[in-house]
Amino acid sequence: MTRYTSATPADRAEMLAAIGVGSTAELFEQVPEPLRLDCPLKLPEGMSEAEVFERLSALAARNVDAEEQVCFVGAGMYDHYVPAIVDAIAQRSEFLTPYTPYQPEISQGGLQVMFEFQTAMSELTGLPVSNAGLYEGPSSVASAGYLAMAATKRRRFVVSRGLHPHSRETLETYAVGYGAEVVEVGLSGGETDAGALAAAVDGETAAVFLQSPNFLGAVERVEALGVAAKEHGALLVVATDPMTLGVLKPPGEQGADIALGEGQPLGNRLDFGGPSFGFFCATEEQIRRMPGRIAGETDDVDGRRGFVLALQTREQHIRREKATHNICTAQALNALAAMVHLAWLGREGYRELGELLVRRTVYARERLAAVPGVELLHEAPVAREFALRLDAPVDRVLERCAERGIAAGYPLGREYPEYEDGLLVAITERRTKAQIDDLAEALGAAVATERGEFPVDITEKSPQGVG
Amino acid sequence: MQRERAQTIYEKSKPGRRAATLPAAEVPEPPLEELIPAELLRDEPPRLPEVAEPEIVRHYNKLSRRNFDLDSGFYPLGSCTMKHNPRLNERVAALPGHARLHPAQDPKRAQGALELMWLLQESLSEICGLPHVSLQPSAGSHGELAGLLLTRAFHADRGEERTKVLAPDTSHGTNPASVTMAGYEAVKVATNERGGVEMDDLRAKIGEGPDQVACLMLTNPNTLGLFDENIAEIAGLIHEAGGTLYYDGANLNAVMGQSRPGDMGFDIVHVNLHKSFSQPHGGGGPGAGPIAVSERIEPYLPRPQVVRRDGDNGHGPFFDLDLERPKSIGRLRGFQGNFGVFVRSYAYILSLGADGLAEASETAVLNANYLKARLAEGRAGERLPVAFNRHCMHEFVLSGKPMKRELGLATLDLAKRLLDFGFHPPTVYFPLLVEEALMIEPTETETKESLDAFADAIERILAEAEDDPGVAKQAPYTTPVRRLDEVKATRKPVIRQPL
């Protein structure tokens, strides 16, 4: 017996007798003999619980996480504080261990959470229709492409270079399958180049994809940029950061047909990139083309209020090859974490958090731009993240900051060759003024040293990096 | 379970109440309009609920008690593998070194995470019998899409463009949906009298245009819980036509350490970590759907790929994210995949080891065949005959056709009545080719006592229906709500709280 099975030798004997076979080997005879493994898998033997814990703790200890380093890295996922009640509620067996709510009578808890979540996401984005969540951000962008093709019968996407690089690449991966073309429009002064966008959109365009705040942190003028899409009958798809929507104008009030994004900042930990969730909201016109689960309100036979999976005729388990999407298992528990986090923040807390992020971001931007050898990459308005140019090799500056316990930001050169000198810095409510000031000091010292201005670098006292 | 009338968190809201307190700004606080142009700012904050923490906790605790869950009872949902979710796995996933690791962290400061991913890749490679693994897909259906895009890239690289993907009529709904999303045409293949692929139909479908066959998607054992004995011949036919063979890994729990998809001839396999590898299902996710592939498919795997590089100057190996993959289909999502799921599943593989995994599958098959034998007795044996009468693997399918004809009880009624007996019903009305289907997968983590109790409950429900079928037809009675009007929810959808 493993520690997760219960069949004793006596149980086995009784069960085999009831089946009418002498051994389990007889049950496996339906597997043709040459295909039956004749030796154990080449894997280690099972370990005790304590040993597994130690083994995985040892692996975890070889990562430098946001408890060891002050984290100014964002680029789509952010080191926010997750309130204690999120963990307490999400770890309850009743939420952690059920399957998808195919039996609504005994799944009212999960279904109602979906309904509350959909309500919240509609409020945040300003669009009336929300699903219960998709896998994560970039694949949600690709899913919007699939919807736009079905809605417009066109096969061309115009994409801002301000859209997250992972989203652009994922959209292209999917587009090869469903046969669409992706055309990219560049940035100017940190924002999507409006003239180039207008020129790129035509009568064959299914959708225009923007992100605001965009990957460089700039708050885009979505409404103005969206005019080109409206003129040509293309859908306007806007990726956004949910932590900014307490203060920024929601996409739905700026003409977006679809608003979506990475949900991690709401109630989900960093987890080296997942699991998190994607949110996906749209106008009423798109309700029957939506991907993913949607919970709806109804009554039971006694007239009692209840919730079910609504509009299932869109889904793969009913429509098979005619489904609006192939998604089945998504991210229900992660969406629940988001809902609890939003309830905890509440209307005022959510707005205050948005304001706090803007003010600290503006402070940090000014503070860092004043450091010699550091300047702004763009001057567009920002809400929680901003881009700098360094007059020194970015990787070496990052390394020096890391040695002082600071993850100073995301090197833009990883995804944007034109910004080889670029650094993207993200702010959360966990990043205090003191930490921002420390970053300014560390960045200044690192840039100066790399420029050969300091004969002695204080970081050289502790040359032992990690790795 | 909690039976009060449902009230949403918004209905518990009153202006002025709150839970969160935030840190002070500590920085200058000019009006927001001085920092961001007013036309880009929101007029009113979104109407989120205003509730204090004690009531938020009560609200969600009450809601939780309106859910049935695996930790509370037997959950024999076919093709879903509702096996125990070890709490150890939650503990290790929550370690700060995993949970608070930023996905853009420099690989040299994420060596533990990358090594864990590499070790999981190696483990899945061994279990599937295929040399290469990508962990990137987020769930089974995402793995299917990946597999089809890999197939397209594989053929394109040979200057071919193929249009059709074959799948049996017993396949999961995700298969044909993925086929359409990947730009192919879905072609159905019939099932033979033993529950396997109808070979003549397969030959005919291939014969219509071998150079158009991109792929055959197969679940083996299939959704009837039966291993397809002709798998070697099937693989031969598809490969001869130049297509790829795709393995839907939803049923991998039947064959871990017993038989390997790679040895069966499959080119691409997806693995549902939230099924066979114990990731909790979370009421509909998260999961993960890594894919294992053969040598000829490897060049096209998504990027980035986790690789192990030899260390130099006496250093140990270095684990890295390989982005330089010129033939790659590209990314399927952001960052590296659902890492938290990888941690749990790797912990599970370490816990069980080679012998434990083989024993898990063996016991899953034993439990399924035992429950099938129990349900072949008495009233169930008469009213709910097994669809294909042979030994099953990890699951089996019954038909409620005689029950419906003789007692007037539909499979749905039986399922709803089971709720009153404290059981989650099996998967119902699937696979489509079995009338009034009930698809039952007990998994290895259930006791003989649970299986007996479930069989007894079915017997009692059928006996009760002989006296009065009306009881089951109106069921359930004891749940937080009774049968719900699903038609109304689709015709006039109310999908958010009016505020």
Side-chain angles (χ1 to χ4, degrees), chain A residues 81-106:
Chain A
Y81 180 75
V82 178
I85 63 167
V86 170
D87 292 345
I89 291 168
Q91 280 291 308
R92 285 184 67 90
S93 291
E94 299 89 339
F95 287 132
L96 184 68
T97 71
Y99 201 76
T100 301
Y102 290 132
Q103 296 290 338
E105 298 87 349
I106 51 162

Side-chain angles (χ1 to χ4, degrees), chain A residues 184-391:
Chain A
E184 192 173 289
V185 170
L187 300 173
S188 166
E191 299 174 53
T192 303
D193 184 330
L197 182 78
V201 182
D202 63 16
E204 293 305 306
T205 305
V208 172
F209 290 78
L210 303 174
Q211 180 175 315
S212 181
N214 69 20
F215 192 74
L216 302 183
V219 181
E220 295 268 16
R221 294 169 193 280
V222 171
E223 194 162 6
L225 291 168
V227 169
K230 302 285 157 199
E231 277 174 4
H232 289 96
L235 297 190
L236 180 60
V237 181
V238 180
T240 187
D241 178 336
M243 277 309 193
T244 65
L245 294 176
V247 294
L248 295 184
K249 183 158 289 218
E253 290 178 21
Q254 299 184 88
D257 296 284
I258 295 173
L260 51 74
E262 172 55 55
Q264 180 274 334
L266 297 175
N268 280 270
R269 44 203 207 195
L270 289 166
D271 273 341
F272 199 45
S276 59
F277 70 97
F279 58 94
F280 195 105
C281 300
T283 55
E284 287 285 356
E285 286 104 290
Q286 308 306 339
I287 188 167
R288 285 170 203 275
R289 296 190 191 99
M290 291 284 284
R293 314 283 185 199
I294 298 178
E297 184 178 336
T298 189
D299 303 315
D300 76 356
V301 290
D302 297 334
R304 215 182 286 124
R305 182 188 200 183
F307 302 90
V308 292
L309 291 177
L311 301 157
Q312 290 192 62
T313 44
R314 299 166 296 118
E315 294 195 61
Q316 48 78 25
H317 61 283
I318 310 277
R319 289 298 295 280
R320 300 178 68 86
E321 68 272 14
K322 295 194 176 67
T324 60
H325 202 282
N326 69 341
I327 195 163
C328 181
T329 291
Q331 313 285 135
L333 193 67
N334 307 92
L336 175 141
M339 185 59 225
V340 177
H341 192 186
L342 285 170
W344 180 82
L345 283 168
R347 188 178 198 194
E348 287 306 312
Y350 183 65
R351 179 184 56 80
E352 287 168 15
L353 178 55
E355 291 182 355
L356 178 70
L357 294 179
V358 171
R359 291 192 172 112
R360 283 203 188 156
T361 300
V362 169
Y363 172 79
R365 191 193 206 191
E366 286 172 2
R367 185 83 173 77
L368 297 181
V371 170
V374 177
E375 61 181 53
L376 295 184
L377 190 146
H378 65 80
E379 294 184 2
V382 295
R384 67 118 85 240
E385 197 162 18
F386 55 94
L388 301 170
R389 284 186 192 278
L390 308 185
D391 182 25

Side-chain angles (χ1 to χ4, degrees), chain B residues 291-407:
Chain B
I291 47 174
V293 304
S294 59
E295 211 60 70
R296 63 182 188 154
I297 302 296
E298 188 275 340
Y300 316 101
L301 280 177
R303 55 166 235 153
Q305 182 70 358
V306 177
V307 293
R308 181 182 188 268
R309 305 193 197 280
D310 290 334
D312 39 31
N313 304 332
H315 284 87
F318 183 77
F319 297 90
D320 205 356
L321 290 170
D322 184 11
L323 289 154
E324 301 303 315
R325 301 184 56 78
K327 292 188 173 184
S328 168
I329 58 169
R331 282 185 172 279
L332 288 156
R333 53 161 292 157
F335 297 108
Q336 290 82 234
N338 282 342
F339 177 75
V341 179
F342 307 155
V343 176
R344 292 179 182 88
S345 293
Y346 186 59
Y348 177 76
I349 290 171
L350 283 183
S351 294
L352 264 63
D355 290 352
L357 288 172
E359 197 207 296
S361 284
E362 185 206 353
T363 308
V365 171
L366 175 67
N367 277 358
N369 278 282
Y370 174 68
L371 185 54
K372 182 166 83 69
R374 281 295 321 269
L375 291 172
E377 299 165 1
R379 291 181 170 86
E382 272 175 56
R383 315 282 196 199
L384 296 171
V386 65
F388 291 85
N389 193 12
R390 44 183 271 209
H391 293 316
C392 65
M393 296 292 281
H394 68 306
E395 69 185 0
F396 57 97
V397 177
L398 304 181
S399 170
K401 192 178 166 188
M403 174 179 73
K404 190 175 180 187
R405 190 179 58 225
E406 294 155 20
L407 301 177

Side-chain angles (χ1 to χ4, degrees), chain B residues 123-174:
Chain B
S123 304
L124 295 175
S125 163
E126 171 66 12
I127 292 163
C128 294
L130 285 162
H132 304 282
V133 171
S134 164
L135 299 177
Q136 205 177 110
S138 312
S141 56
H142 209 204
E144 291 173 18
L145 181 63
L148 293 167
L149 294 172
L150 289 169
T151 294
R152 185 178 283 286
F154 166 77
H155 287 132
D157 204 22
R158 283 154 184 74
E160 297 176 29
E161 196 182 335
R162 293 168 174 245
T163 55
K164 291 180 181 173
V165 174
L166 279 45
D169 51 10
T170 54
S171 69
H172 296 112
T174 50

